[in-house]
Amino acid sequence: MVIVMKPEAKREAVEKIQRKMESLGCQVHGSRGENYWILGLVGDTSKIDSSQIEANENVQKLLKVQHPFKLASRLFHPEDTIVEVDHLKIGGGNLAIMAGPCSVESHDQLMTIAQEVKSHGAQFLRGGAFKPRTSPYSFQGLGEEGLKLLKKAKELTGMPIVTEVMCQETFDVVEAYGDILQIGARNMQNFPLLKKAGKSKRPILLKRGLSATIEELLMSAEYIMAEGNPNVILCERGIRTFETYTRNTLDISAIPVIKELSHLPIIVDPSHATGKWSMVEPLSKAAVAVGTDGLIIEVHHQPEQALSDGAQSLKPQKFAHLMKSIKGMMALEK
Ligand code: PEP
Ligand code: MN
């Protein structure tokens, strides 16, 4: 952190800030330029409230050298984090494929889709039992009944379960059934929920908020990690832009950016990013090309009857085609 003092700042004012910063635990190196006093802060700056410094009338500006996230930062953890679930690896150059319906709707629906996606190469089964819907009148999910069906589907196919946890009240029941707990875009900054997830033994799939910056996503990961859970998987699922043709805009640059900034695995959800099934394969390929650690894809055998997100759900044959294209890309890389 660097504090640039105003040209007219008096020596006493500069020294006062310097003493305050030192009392908060960092070392301060002052230097006087022709017009400005510059204070360079090194060491532990975590106790410093930058907005208090900016509020000081003698301060011209404050420059932050480091990112505000630490545990999620690649600076302090250069090697990739690899999250392991039932001997499957997410991160570190492995491509994890998660697929399944948006919502668990019925026994037959889930078992059909689970077997289809498994047969085409999915490693994880996704499916929501508690659904965060924009309208309170839309299907809200089967709740615990849906979780029981997910458990059955796991017994049938062997695939670990990715399912959303929406609130603290239902956290324990979702944790009892899910192998990876998803925190959805709408809850990315639900800080009490993030803290609860930080105390869980389960890996957390943290989706980027609808209008969240990459730094905000990493700060939410930091919340989970600060409570003791190091197994966070980030997910780019499209953000709000002025473009309305697609449901959201897939921020493809977020993948290489996050790989630079963080050691955490980052996967892509092309289904929610686009809202259109026809865009899912091209954007999956784009995600693989920029180095995603995985994909989470909505698949439904009867999308026209789906209780949520039918328009973005791939039919099993289309999912099979996508998997073939991706395998072709991976073979080319080798
Ligand atoms: C979902 O995965 O079904 C979902 C609701 O995703 P998001 O939180 O990204 O909208
Ligand atoms: Mn969905």
Side-chain angles (χ1 to χ4, degrees), residues 149 159 262 305 334:
L149 293 175
M159 284 188 290
S262 178
Q305 286 172 42
K334 280 179 190 151

PDB file of all heavy atoms in Angstrom, residues 149 159 262 305 334:
ATOM      1  N   LEU A 149     -33.580 -38.591  -4.012  1.00  0.00           N
ATOM      2  CA  LEU A 149     -33.479 -39.105  -5.385  1.00  0.00           C
ATOM      3  C   LEU A 149     -32.040 -38.973  -5.900  1.00  0.00           C
ATOM      4  O   LEU A 149     -31.542 -39.870  -6.597  1.00  0.00           O
ATOM      5  CB  LEU A 149     -34.464 -38.368  -6.307  1.00  0.00           C
ATOM      6  CG  LEU A 149     -35.944 -38.640  -6.022  1.00  0.00           C
ATOM      7  CD1 LEU A 149     -36.835 -37.767  -6.902  1.00  0.00           C
ATOM      8  CD2 LEU A 149     -36.280 -40.125  -6.238  1.00  0.00           C
ATOM      9  N   MET A 159     -21.889 -41.748  -9.684  1.00  0.00           N
ATOM     10  CA  MET A 159     -21.440 -40.354  -9.838  1.00  0.00           C
ATOM     11  C   MET A 159     -21.688 -39.550  -8.561  1.00  0.00           C
ATOM     12  O   MET A 159     -22.803 -39.544  -8.023  1.00  0.00           O
ATOM     13  CB  MET A 159     -22.206 -39.665 -10.977  1.00  0.00           C
ATOM     14  CG  MET A 159     -21.747 -40.074 -12.350  1.00  0.00           C
ATOM     15  SD  MET A 159     -22.542 -39.059 -13.620  1.00  0.00           S
ATOM     16  CE  MET A 159     -24.206 -39.634 -13.517  1.00  0.00           C
ATOM     17  N   SER A 262      -5.430 -16.702  -8.915  1.00  0.00           N
ATOM     18  CA  SER A 262      -5.769 -17.671  -7.865  1.00  0.00           C
ATOM     19  C   SER A 262      -5.318 -19.080  -8.228  1.00  0.00           C
ATOM     20  O   SER A 262      -5.181 -19.418  -9.409  1.00  0.00           O
ATOM     21  CB  SER A 262      -7.283 -17.656  -7.642  1.00  0.00           C
ATOM     22  OG  SER A 262      -7.644 -18.601  -6.666  1.00  0.00           O
ATOM     23  N   GLN A 305     -40.539 -30.285 -21.553  1.00  0.00           N
ATOM     24  CA  GLN A 305     -41.398 -30.501 -20.375  1.00  0.00           C
ATOM     25  C   GLN A 305     -40.678 -30.189 -19.061  1.00  0.00           C
ATOM     26  O   GLN A 305     -41.215 -30.429 -17.976  1.00  0.00           O
ATOM     27  CB  GLN A 305     -41.867 -31.959 -20.353  1.00  0.00           C
ATOM     28  CG  GLN A 305     -42.938 -32.222 -21.394  1.00  0.00           C
ATOM     29  CD  GLN A 305     -43.275 -33.688 -21.513  1.00  0.00           C
ATOM     30  OE1 GLN A 305     -43.380 -34.382 -20.501  1.00  0.00           O
ATOM     31  NE2 GLN A 305     -43.413 -34.163 -22.730  1.00  0.00           N
ATOM     32  N   LYS A 334      -2.725 -33.071 -27.187  1.00  0.00           N
ATOM     33  CA  LYS A 334      -1.663 -34.008 -26.741  1.00  0.00           C
ATOM     34  C   LYS A 334      -0.604 -34.239 -27.818  1.00  0.00           C
ATOM     35  O   LYS A 334      -0.780 -33.951 -28.963  1.00  0.00           O
ATOM     36  CB  LYS A 334      -2.297 -35.322 -26.302  1.00  0.00           C
ATOM     37  CG  LYS A 334      -2.851 -35.131 -24.886  1.00  0.00           C
ATOM     38  CD  LYS A 334      -3.535 -36.368 -24.361  1.00  0.00           C
ATOM     39  CE  LYS A 334      -4.270 -36.004 -23.063  1.00  0.00           C
ATOM     40  NZ  LYS A 334      -5.432 -36.807 -22.832  1.00  0.00           N
TER      41      LYS A 334
END
